[in-house]
Every structure is written in structure tokens, then in C-alpha cells.
Amino acid sequence: MTIQDIKNRFGIIGSSPLLDRAIDIAKQVAPTDLSVLITGESGTGKEVFPQIIHQLSSRKHGPYIAVNCGAIPEGTIDSELFGHEKGSFTGAHEARKGYFEVANGGTIFLDEVADLPSATQARLLRVLESGEFIKVGSSKVLKTEVRIVAASNINIPLAIEKGKFREDLYYRLNTVPILVPSLRERKADIHLIFRKFAADFAVKYRMPVIKLDAEAENILTSYYWHGNVRQLKNITEQISVIEKNRDINAETISKYLPQPSATNLPMVMKNETLNSEFTERDILYKLLFDMKKDLTDLKKIVVDLIENDNGLKQDFHPENEQLIKKLYQDVGAPETTLKLGYGQPVAAEGEEIEDHEVVEDKPLSLLELEEQMIRKALVKHKGRRKNAAKELGISERTLYRKINEYKIEG
């Protein structure tokens, strides 16, 4: 069977090399029992590839079951997949077979497999490795001989990094990968798909077929299509039902194409693409800035107390004069408000009062503050780096690097 024969049989439209490549891989892997992982954006038509694999395999006369893993509640997913015994949980009034038992000898398609809970992922891994599973509420090991095809529209390697998907399960599922291209990667196919949908809806709603002029076709082809083929189908149906004029121009089609509120520039997502050490450094710097702000606020409070309490002024001794002067300078108070010699004796005639030495307090840089905090944390925890790193809110690896960088001993 040729690729074109497969397209005709399964209603696939388009001649994109990327699409042909995906179909060819599905055709080649179908006669085997290898697990297949299909990836691609939402709405690209991933669900047709498990059907191709099943129908072109020796299992075509066996059961074919498609399961949307993201649509089943976490509390019942194990029961749905593996079955349960009577009385195993509230509401289990009778024993029930799971999909893996029912699909024995056939193919099971696990759509949105990355949405499976961790415990269910472990059960699925056992099925892939040995074909064994246990019903919920049972201790009896059952066997199944089923072909597993999975699909996902998320970046599974990224989910593995976040601890949301098992790495060993990924490699078991990903024996043969198939990537379904987005509609943006198949621009030459967009108008062909539109025409097919327009003809189908004309028959369904018993009305003339809508047609695009050249400018409208250009707009359709250059649109971003976040929802891919599914979005194109929905918009074609809307236009077919709503528009009385069956000749569609650029102005008309633009009304049906949602315009994004922002550009499609790449964005940095929280906790996804940032380097972990960079994030830790940012947290440390923010902590230092907050501490500096708190110290400044405290100085302002002290100055306010001094200014508004004459008795408090008189309680300051000469040796504290420099401290008072420094407080005024730090909070930006006018020099005229600074009365030197609070509480000092008045000089007798002809006697000079010795000026106090003015010491300039040089502010620390961020790096110096960081080094100081690391040293204090190490002293506090008696050199225990694990405890010091925990208090600083950074990893041990980052702390080791900082210790070497600042040449901190001990």
C-alpha cells in the first residue's frame, strides 16, 4: 500500500514532505509489535496514526481501544485501565475488566499519556516490560498481549526534568517516535484542507460551497493557526453556516481569524527555561536588597525618634555623635537639622572642643554582601555546608562554587 493509498483510506489531505514522512514511519512500524510515541501540537490529527498502525498490522482483526488519559479522573484511572474487583473501593458493586484486559490481542491508544499520575505510570511500565498487570483490589497477576501506541502534545523530556514523567517509561514508549507536523509547517496544504472541509459542510448543511478569492487565500495561508487542523475546521464551519455570500474575500475571512493579543515572540516561562543557578542567584540578591531596605527603614525610624524627642537627644553621649551624623546622612536628612554635640558640655571661653573624626561608611557591593552572608551562614552552622546552603536558599553545588569563588576556608 502506497502513502497515497493510506491518505485516501484514512481521509488525510496534503502533500507535505513532513506529513509523508510521518505516514511512512507509521506504515513501516505497523507490522511489528514495537511501542510507538506520537508527538505534535494539539489539533494536528495525531489520533489518525494509531488507526493506521492498527489497520496495517496483524492485529487489525483484534480490538482497538482509544483512551484519553487526560479526561479520566486520577482516582479512577487505574480502574479504567486495569480493572477492579468487587468491593475494592466505594461504588465497586461488581468486578470490572480494564482496557488492557479487553484489548488483549489488539491495540490500545493512550492519548495525552503525559497526564497519567505517577503511580499509574509505574503500572504502565510493568505492562510494557512484561505484559503483566494487577486489578485494583486484587493480588492476582494477569497477563495481556497488547500493542501500545501513545501520544502527547507536551514536551515530555521537559516533563521528565520537572519530575512529572518517568524517564524509563518515556524510553519504553518512545521505541519508534512519530512527529506530526503543525499546520504552519504545511502551508501548501492549508487551502486544500479548507476546500475539503468547505465541501463536507456544504453537503452537511445543504448549501452552496464557500469559495475564497486570492487575497483571502493568502490570509488563510499566512495565519499562525495555534489550533492547527482542528481550528481550521471550526472556522470553515462557522463561515459555511453564517455567511450568506458564498464568495469569501479578505475582509470577511479576517473577521473569523482571532488575532493574538501579543506577538508570538518566545517567552521565558517560570521555572521552565531559566537556568537553576541563575534563579538561585536572583533569590539571594532579592534577599540582600530586602535586608538593605529594612535597614534603611530602621534608620529612618531612629532619626525620627531623635528629631521628635528632645529628651532623647540629650541622652546621646558625645561618643554617639558620629553614629547620629551617619544616620542623618544615610536617610538624606538636611545637614542643618544635624545638631552636633547632643548632650556635650559647653566649651568655656577660649576653649576649643576637639572635633570627632568623621569616618566614611563605604557601602558594600552585592558580591561583598553575598560573600558576607555565606561566611555568616557557615560560621552559624559550624561549617556544615548542607545546612548553610539550606538557610541561604541555594543548592549545595552553588554554595561549593561560591566558596571556591570567594576563597572561603573552613
Side-chain angles (χ1 to χ4, degrees):
M1 182 178 289
T2 66
I3 291 178
Q4 189 57 49
D5 291 335
I6 295 174
K7 290 179 181 178
N8 294 338
R9 180 175 176 180
F10 293 94
I12 301 174
I13 301 169
S15 56
S16 164
L18 294 175
L19 179 64
D20 289 350
R21 172 62 176 165
I23 296 173
D24 185 55
I25 293 175
K27 173 189 171 184
Q28 298 298 327
V29 76
T32 73
D33 282 331
L34 296 174
S35 299
V36 179
L37 179 61
I38 304 166
T39 56
E41 295 180 9
S42 179
T44 52
K46 296 187 294 295
E47 63 280 354
V48 75
F49 286 87
Q51 297 176 35
I52 295 174
I53 294 170
H54 177 71
Q55 291 299 327
L56 298 184
S57 72
S58 58
R59 300 171 180 270
K60 61 183 178 182
H61 298 299
Y64 172 81
I65 297 178
V67 183
N68 187 340
C69 301
I72 303 175
E74 183 174 341
T76 61
I77 185 68
D78 284 353
S79 172
E80 293 290 325
L81 293 177
F82 308 107
H84 64 259
E85 295 292 351
K86 181 179 179 180
S88 56
F89 55 86
T90 304
H93 301 300
E94 57 184 20
R96 177 186 179 279
K97 291 184 177 181
Y99 296 133
F100 278 102
E101 189 173 359
V102 174
N104 187 32
T107 303
I108 186 167
F109 170 45
L110 301 177
D111 196 11
E112 306 305 338
V113 70
D115 290 334
L116 287 175
S118 298
T120 308
Q121 291 179 31
R123 285 172 171 256
L124 177 58
L125 181 62
R126 182 176 182 182
V127 175
L128 285 162
E129 290 177 338
S130 63
E132 297 178 347
F133 67 95
I134 301 175
K135 287 185 176 183
V136 176
S138 173
S139 58
K140 182 180 178 181
V141 177
L142 301 178
K143 294 280 288 186
T144 185
E145 202 280 305
V146 63
R147 170 67 163 298
I148 297 177
V149 180
S152 177
N153 64 354
I154 72 166
N155 187 331
I156 293 185
L158 186 59
I160 292 172
E161 290 181 14
K162 293 181 176 182
K164 295 182 179 179
F165 199 81
R166 294 179 63 109
E167 187 173 10
D168 48 4
L169 177 58
Y170 170 65
Y171 290 121
R172 280 286 183 178
L173 291 172
N174 199 36
T175 305
V176 178
I178 296 179
L179 175 61
V180 183
S182 66
L183 203 54
R184 299 183 299 279
E185 299 172 292
R186 305 168 49 195
K187 288 187 179 293
D189 295 339
I190 292 176
H191 187 230
L192 294 175
I193 299 172
F194 176 88
R195 286 168 55 186
K196 174 62 168 63
F197 287 150
D200 291 344
F201 291 130
V203 173
K204 180 179 180 179
Y205 298 113
R206 299 179 182 179
M207 54 180 61
V209 180
I210 56 173
K211 297 178 181 178
L212 302 178
D213 63 19
E215 191 175 354
E217 185 178 335
N218 289 334
I219 291 176
L220 192 78
T221 303
S222 60
Y223 187 67
Y224 191 80
W225 296 112
H226 292 272
N228 293 290
V229 177
R230 186 182 295 123
Q231 183 185 12
L232 177 59
K233 182 178 181 180
N234 291 343
I235 287 177
T236 307
E237 187 171 16
Q238 291 175 34
I239 298 173
S240 297
V241 172
I242 296 173
E243 291 301 321
K244 294 179 180 179
N245 186 354
R246 313 311 285 177
D247 294 321
I248 309 301
N249 57 27
E251 181 181 357
T252 301
I253 198 170
S254 295
K255 294 188 298 184
Y256 292 90
L257 299 178
Q259 298 302 319
S261 57
T263 63
N264 294 315
L265 295 175
M267 295 183 295
V268 176
M269 302 304 290
K270 182 180 179 182
N271 295 331
E272 289 188 3
T273 57
L274 287 176
N275 179 276
S276 59
E277 291 189 8
F278 180 78
T279 305
E280 290 167 353
R281 187 173 70 249
D282 276 358
I283 294 173
L284 182 58
Y285 283 173
K286 182 180 184 303
L287 178 63
L288 294 172
F289 279 123
D290 289 344
M291 291 176 62
K292 185 176 181 180
K293 181 178 180 299
D294 292 342
L295 183 59
T296 301
D297 291 343
L298 181 61
K299 289 177 179 179
K300 288 181 179 180
I301 293 172
V302 173
V303 168
D304 185 64
L305 286 172
I306 295 173
E307 281 295 300
N308 293 286
D309 191 336
N310 289 327
L312 184 62
K313 288 182 181 180
Q314 298 301 320
D315 289 337
F316 276 92
H317 298 289
E319 60 267 22
N320 294 321
E321 176 186 310
Q322 202 62 47
L323 172 62
I324 300 170
K325 183 176 181 180
K326 179 65 174 61
L327 286 173
Y328 273 82
Q329 291 173 341
D330 284 346
V331 301
E335 292 184 4
T336 54
T337 65
L338 180 59
K339 306 297 184 182
L340 296 178
Y342 293 144
Q344 293 185 44
V346 178
E349 184 176 354
E351 182 181 355
E352 294 184 359
I353 299 177
E354 183 180 354
D355 290 336
H356 293 282
E357 181 183 359
V358 177
V359 180
E360 183 180 357
D361 186 12
K362 181 182 179 182
L364 296 175
S365 68
L366 285 177
L367 293 178
E368 290 170 331
L369 285 171
E370 183 180 58
E371 180 184 355
Q372 190 178 94
M373 287 191 66
I374 291 173
R375 289 183 182 276
K376 288 182 178 179
L378 289 171
V379 170
K380 178 180 177 181
H381 295 283
K382 299 179 180 179
R384 295 186 180 91
R385 298 181 179 183
K386 182 177 180 180
N387 296 341
K390 185 175 181 181
E391 178 174 319
L392 292 168
I394 61 177
S395 67
E396 284 188 70
R397 184 163 63 91
T398 301
L399 180 59
Y400 278 108
R401 181 169 57 79
K402 292 293 182 182
I403 289 174
N404 291 332
E405 183 179 331
Y406 294 124
K407 296 181 174 58
I408 301 174
E409 298 179 355

